[in-house]
Amino acid sequence: MNRNKIPIFDPTVEMNTNEENPAKRKYDLNKKKFGLLWNSKIGGDKLMHFILVELNKKGIKPSEIVELKKEYDTRPAKREMYEEMAKKCDFVITAVGD
Amino acid sequence: MIDPIEYKENFWESVDFYHYKGWTDGLPVIPPTKEMIENFLNAGGVKEGQIVFEVPERKRSVNAAKIAINAILAGCLPIYMPVIISVLEAMSDPQYNIHSSASSTGGAAPLIVINGPIRSEILINSGTNFYGPGARANASIGRAIRLILMNCLGAKPGLMDRSTQGNPGKYSLTFGENEELSPWEPLNIELGFKKEESTVTLLATEGPHNIQNHYGQSKGILDTACNTMCSLGSMSEGQSFFVFSPEHAKIISEEYKTKQAIKKYIFENSIVPESILIESGKINNNGWADEKGNVRHALTPDDIFIIVAGGEAGGHSSWIPSWSRRRNGITVTKKILSSESRLSQTSKERK
């Protein structure tokens, strides 16, 4: 039936949309150990500190602040850094600055 | 077998449909047929549902059938499939950093260097005008990779490709090393592969910077190369490739017999004071200066790759620096497997 017609093949790939289970969120952040992971691009650190100030205004104060900086901006942090964050922080704020 | 999603009345209607859907790089494409897809899969030694390219950051898994469709659209021949699959394997290596390099404002192109006997089998150009038009393998292999990035990873301009200016190499920056006219060992041998093993070597890069010198001797040509490498606009702590023309390579080799000697010379003589980078606003205060306060476009001499390509005549070499202001992508080399070798791989070996 389509012998003389030209077939069209879809060259695209869709994103996998399998359900994922994100880590449980902590809804009471007050007096928790805050982690700040900076991607090392200019401005990212300022954004994170701005967020800290905003949280402070709402009465949310950290018991401790752990600041970490990625070695390279667009590459994933080293495994040791993730492990350090898991060990030392209750939650982590990360930011992309440029 | 993968099925068509619809049919068009004639060739031009189908070509326009691929444009309309945003499935091209701007140039017309070759509409695939079932028979062509089967031929390409067989030539690559892969099954249609076999996953050959995975990018976890984008939650995308690309199977062999999609690779074949994009290769056909790009104008490839079936015999290019082993090269294309090996390129995608190299891109899957986290060191290459495909997610960032394909989306960055830096506008990186995948530099693809081919070594070994496959060069003559697929007629890849490593001679006159190898960066330019004329050779189907050079033009269409790079184009196939670009279409795969656009269609399968979502690297569309303005969406997941945010290049400020882009780079002409994003159409294709693919060529072979001119091993026959090189006075030094070719890249595959240097990296530990056997002479009969063909390889692809990838790095996310800027475009080529010309190194023009028509009267110099060894030192003069290398000093010209060093000066090009010190360009502030491209300065970073990343890796890079010097692509010496056969004429330049011959002159340089009269004094510098090994690649290691050239790398050492370039490393020691391509120096920029960190203060200049800071004054110009190139970097803030997180430089990578040595104890004397100097920076180089390399952390060690081995960050400098030396290859030979080009026509026999002409004092034009080139330098291709890594993409990004820092060291965000690393060179990756993969062996090119024949369809028979790939078919005999176990699923464990594939991973």
Side-chain angles (χ1 to χ4, degrees):
Chain A
M1 193 181 300
N2 290 312
R3 196 172 297 158
N4 297 320
K5 294 189 175 182
I6 308 291
I8 300 291
F9 289 91
D10 183 353
T12 66
V13 170
E14 294 299 318
M15 191 185 286
N16 303 328
T17 51
N18 297 339
E19 198 173 314
E20 294 189 14
N21 298 314
K24 283 185 182 171
R25 268 38 181 168
K26 292 182 182 297
Y27 293 101
D28 180 10
L29 303 181
N30 199 29
K31 304 276 173 63
K32 295 289 188 293
K33 295 175 196 164
F34 286 25
L36 301 177
L37 175 62
W38 176 25
N39 76 340
S40 83
K41 276 192 170 181
I42 297 166
D45 52 340
K46 289 181 185 165
L47 177 58
M48 285 184 295
H49 288 130
F50 171 79
I51 292 169
L52 276 187
V53 171
E54 291 299 301
L55 289 173
N56 248 303
K57 284 181 191 167
K58 293 179 181 174
I60 299 168
K61 294 182 178 162
S63 63
E64 195 181 324
I65 296 175
V66 180
E67 294 196 51
L68 296 162
K69 179 183 166 188
K70 278 169 59 178
E71 189 179 15
Y72 293 108
D73 44 13
T74 75
R75 294 173 73 180
K78 288 186 173 169
R79 185 172 182 82
E80 300 81 56
M81 196 171 273
Y82 286 115
E83 285 168 353
E84 189 182 351
M85 285 188 284
K87 200 172 162 188
K88 294 183 178 172
C89 310
D90 291 316
F91 72 95
V92 175
I93 298 172
T94 188
V96 176
D98 205 350
Chain B
M1 183 67 196
I2 190 165
D3 289 316
I5 52 168
E6 62 180 284
Y7 290 85
K8 293 294 171 189
E9 290 299 323
N10 59 54
F11 176 83
W12 285 113
E13 215 176 284
S14 68
V15 170
D16 280 346
F17 184 75
Y18 282 102
H19 275 288
Y20 166 76
K21 294 291 283 184
W23 292 342
T24 85
D25 54 4
L27 291 165
V29 292
I30 306 296
T33 64
K34 267 194 177 192
E35 293 72 24
M36 290 166 79
I37 296 169
E38 279 173 14
N39 284 342
F40 274 67
L41 292 172
N42 290 335
V46 284
K47 308 287 183 194
E48 66 168 279
Q50 185 180 326
I51 301 299
V52 293
F53 187 33
E54 278 192 285
V55 182
E57 299 96 326
R58 298 203 178 184
K59 295 186 173 183
R60 312 263 181 153
S61 302
V62 186
N63 68 33
K66 297 290 184 179
I67 302 301
I69 291 169
N70 280 287
I72 297 163
L73 291 171
C76 288
L77 290 171
I79 52 170
Y80 304 163
M81 276 293 276
V83 179
I84 292 167
I85 293 167
S86 296
V87 168
L88 296 172
E89 282 178 340
M91 283 185 164
S92 301
D93 188 321
Q95 293 278 60
Y96 179 82
N97 201 354
I98 182 61
H99 172 59
S100 299
S101 63
S103 52
S104 168
T105 53
L111 166 67
I112 302 169
V113 181
I114 300 174
N115 279 92
I118 200 163
R119 292 168 308 132
S120 56
E121 293 162 20
I122 63 171
L123 300 179
I124 190 98
N125 186 13
S126 59
T128 306
N129 198 40
F130 67 90
Y131 286 133
R136 186 169 180 174
N138 297 49
S140 64
I141 290 173
R143 187 185 186 205
I145 298 300
R146 176 54 48 194
L147 290 180
I148 291 164
L149 297 183
M150 295 177 79
N151 290 329
C152 303
L153 291 199
K156 298 283 179 69
L159 296 171
M160 288 295 282
D161 177 346
R162 311 292 289 195
S163 301
T164 306
Q165 294 196 327
N167 166 352
K170 291 175 81 168
Y171 282 102
S172 186
L173 184 53
T174 306
F175 58 91
E177 181 171 11
N178 196 334
E179 299 175 14
E180 292 71 20
L181 292 182
S182 173
W184 309 295
E185 79 275 18
L187 187 60
N188 55 341
I189 306 289
E190 181 190 354
L191 296 175
F193 293 89
K194 294 175 187 157
K195 192 179 178 188
E196 63 271 20
E197 291 177 327
S198 296
T199 56
V200 290
T201 298
L202 270 75
L203 180 66
T205 64
E206 296 181 4
H209 299 221
N210 193 14
I211 302 169
Q212 187 255 101
N213 184 320
H214 282 88
Y215 308 110
Q217 296 305 306
S218 306
K219 186 176 179 303
I221 294 169
L222 284 186
D223 286 342
T224 310
C226 290
N227 183 273
T228 306
M229 198 187 201
C230 288
S231 148
L232 272 195
S234 293
M235 185 56 76
S236 80
E237 60 199 290
Q239 298 178 319
S240 62
F241 279 73
F242 280 94
V243 186
F244 286 112
S245 66
E247 184 175 306
H248 275 170
K250 190 177 175 191
I251 296 169
I252 294 167
S253 68
E254 287 165 7
E255 195 171 338
Y256 298 88
K257 305 293 183 194
T258 66
K259 285 186 175 179
Q260 219 44 46
I262 300 166
K263 291 178 184 197
K264 184 171 180 288
Y265 184 89
I266 293 174
F267 185 78
E268 288 175 354
N269 292 283
S270 301
I271 292 169
V272 178
E274 189 187 38
S275 58
I276 290 180
L277 270 70
I278 293 173
E279 282 164 22
S280 68
K282 264 290 286 187
I283 59 174
N284 46 7
N285 57 359
N286 58 346
W288 59 103
D290 62 16
E291 65 282 358
K292 292 179 181 169
N294 294 319
V295 297
R296 298 170 171 82
H297 197 121
L299 297 182
T300 72
D302 283 332
D303 277 342
I304 301 164
F305 290 81
I306 308 288
I307 57 174
V308 174
E312 288 189 58
H316 295 276
S317 294
S318 48
W319 176 61
I320 309 180
S322 59
W323 143 81
S324 102
R325 74 192 80 171
R326 300 204 56 209
R327 189 183 173 84
N328 284 312
I330 302 292
T331 300
V332 178
T333 299
K334 294 286 178 189
K335 185 176 157 183
I336 300 170
L337 297 180
S338 66
S339 57
E340 296 77 20
S341 302
R342 196 168 287 284
L343 272 173
S344 65
Q345 271 187 321
T346 63
S347 56
K348 194 177 172 188
E349 284 171 328
R350 277 185 213 123
K351 286 179 182 172

